[in-house]
Amino acid sequence: MKFFLAPMQGLTGYTVRNAFHHHFDYIDKYYTPFIPAAKRMNAKIKRDIDPVNNDGITLIPQAMSIVADEVIDLHRQLVPYGYDEINVNLGCPSGTVVSKKRGSGILAYPDMLDSFLDELYTKADFPVSIKTRVGFNDDELWHRLIEIYSKYPISELTVHPRVQKDFYKNTPRMDDFALAMQKINPDKTTLCYNGDITDTNSFNALTDCFPDIDEIMIGRGLFANPALIAELKGISMDKAELRERLKNWHDEILSGYLSIFSGEKDAIFRMKEIWAYMHGLFSDSEKLWKKIKKCQTLNDYKSIVRMAFDAF
């Protein structure tokens, strides 16, 4: 079984990727947060994909576009950095994205999707993988969408079995993933599952239902528990070891953010995004989360976090 870290805008940049690689090295592949392919890569994106900042990490750049030539041009920009494959984001549910028919917005227009993929796979001389949802307002078009995907040499198809309007709520539509398992030719396209893998129970439920699945992408579950993949692989660690790894993981991210951002408030804000998921691992988690949300200075933040780890 291979495990991938899902791209999460604002969360899975190289600072976090390196922290996982150094302290919870169970992730087989990482994806960048989406890169707007219509624009030239700016300094921030170049820094994020720089191989120097991703040493030892298998990283796939993710493009946000529904224009084949934009994806091709982004690939040209990435080649000097040593990247070949591109992942195309057809799953982002953000309103600002879907209003431009990008991300999961294009799923409401299957003919447009078909034309985009036809041109892309005709022109691309490099592997192109796709991350998708199963529809926009509902999954009535999923049969049509999966027929379209099955036509093309998609190197890897990651399916998050929710529709755009679900965002990250409601239960994943496992019947839709079952259809993908049935229709996608494994000799041509590798199928990857994404969505709500948060513990061994959810993992076992998935693999019991789909014993042939060999790739799983996890996002929020890994921020709620950075040791999740170790648990899924049956790798045990006692509480003292888990505490030490978590603390080192946290401290590396904080140090990285403080070096990247001009002010400590920006770094604290980014750390709060992580704690929004991770606080559940700690004693009196809701009380801890309220304290972290309220803190404004680095000294206050460090004091709260120190006490949290001491009580872990």
Side-chain angles (χ1 to χ4, degrees), residues 1 4 9 43 45 48 97 101 119 131 137 143 172 174 182 196-197 200 214 220 290 312:
M1 181 72 70
F4 309 148
Q9 210 67 14
I45 292 172
D48 190 58
V97 169
K101 299 179 181 177
E119 184 178 1
K131 186 173 188 289
N137 288 320
H143 282 79
M174 302 311 290
Q182 177 186 347
D196 285 17
I197 300 299
T200 54
D214 191 46
R220 294 170 297 154
K290 288 179 181 178
F312 184 81

Side-chain angles (χ1 to χ4, degrees), residues 66 90 92 98-114 132-142 144-145 148-149 163-165:
I66 55 168
L90 301 181
C92 179
V98 302
S99 65
K100 301 174 183 178
K101 299 179 181 177
R102 298 176 181 174
S104 59
I106 197 174
L107 302 181
Y109 307 92
D111 290 340
M112 183 183 296
L113 172 66
D114 197 6
T132 187
R133 291 193 172 219
V134 297
F136 191 73
N137 288 320
D138 53 51
D139 61 354
E140 289 185 3
L141 290 174
W142 180 234
R144 170 76 175 121
L145 296 173
I148 293 170
Y149 289 139
V163 299
Q164 184 275 337
K165 77 172 186 179

Side-chain angles (χ1 to χ4, degrees), residues 17 21 33 46 48 62-63 79 91 101-102 134 136 141 174-175 177 189-190 227-228 240 245 258 261 276 295 301 304:
R17 295 195 296 263
H21 181 56
K46 290 178 180 178
D48 190 58
Q62 184 183 77
V79 167
K101 299 179 181 177
R102 298 176 181 174
V134 297
F136 191 73
L141 290 174
M174 302 311 290
D175 287 346
F177 188 75
T189 298
T190 302
L228 175 59
R245 289 203 196 188
L258 289 171
F261 299 117
C295 74
Y301 174 81
I304 293 167

Side-chain angles (χ1 to χ4, degrees), residues 112-250:
M112 183 183 296
L113 172 66
D114 197 6
S115 295
F116 164 57
L117 295 181
D118 182 61
E119 184 178 1
L120 177 59
Y121 283 99
T122 297
K123 293 182 174 181
D125 59 355
F126 53 89
V128 179
S129 58
I130 288 174
K131 186 173 188 289
T132 187
R133 291 193 172 219
V134 297
F136 191 73
N137 288 320
D138 53 51
D139 61 354
E140 289 185 3
L141 290 174
W142 180 234
H143 282 79
R144 170 76 175 121
L145 296 173
I146 207 67
E147 286 178 0
I148 293 170
Y149 289 139
S150 65
K151 291 167 56 177
Y152 298 103
I154 300 170
S155 60
E156 176 185 84
L157 180 65
T158 299
V159 176
H160 183 150
R162 284 187 169 96
V163 299
Q164 184 275 337
K165 77 172 186 179
D166 288 334
F167 280 81
Y168 297 96
K169 300 177 181 178
N170 303 323
T171 303
R173 302 165 190 246
M174 302 311 290
D175 287 346
D176 290 335
F177 188 75
L179 182 66
M181 290 287 293
Q182 177 186 347
K183 296 293 186 179
I184 294 298
N185 182 353
D187 294 330
K188 182 171 68 172
T189 298
T190 302
L191 194 62
C192 176
Y193 175 85
N194 172 229
D196 285 17
I197 300 299
T198 57
D199 52 26
T200 54
N201 288 335
S202 54
F203 172 75
N204 289 336
L206 176 71
T207 54
D208 287 348
C209 191
F210 304 106
D212 293 333
I213 195 71
D214 191 46
E215 294 186 353
I216 295 176
M217 179 182 284
I218 306 175
R220 294 170 297 154
L222 273 170
F223 285 93
N225 177 10
L228 175 59
I229 295 176
E231 294 180 8
L232 301 184
K233 290 187 172 187
I235 300 170
S236 62
M237 60 183 78
D238 61 28
K239 197 165 187 177
E241 180 183 359
L242 176 58
R243 175 192 176 279
E244 187 68 14
R245 289 203 196 188
L246 280 173
K247 186 177 184 305
N248 291 338
W249 180 82
H250 166 278

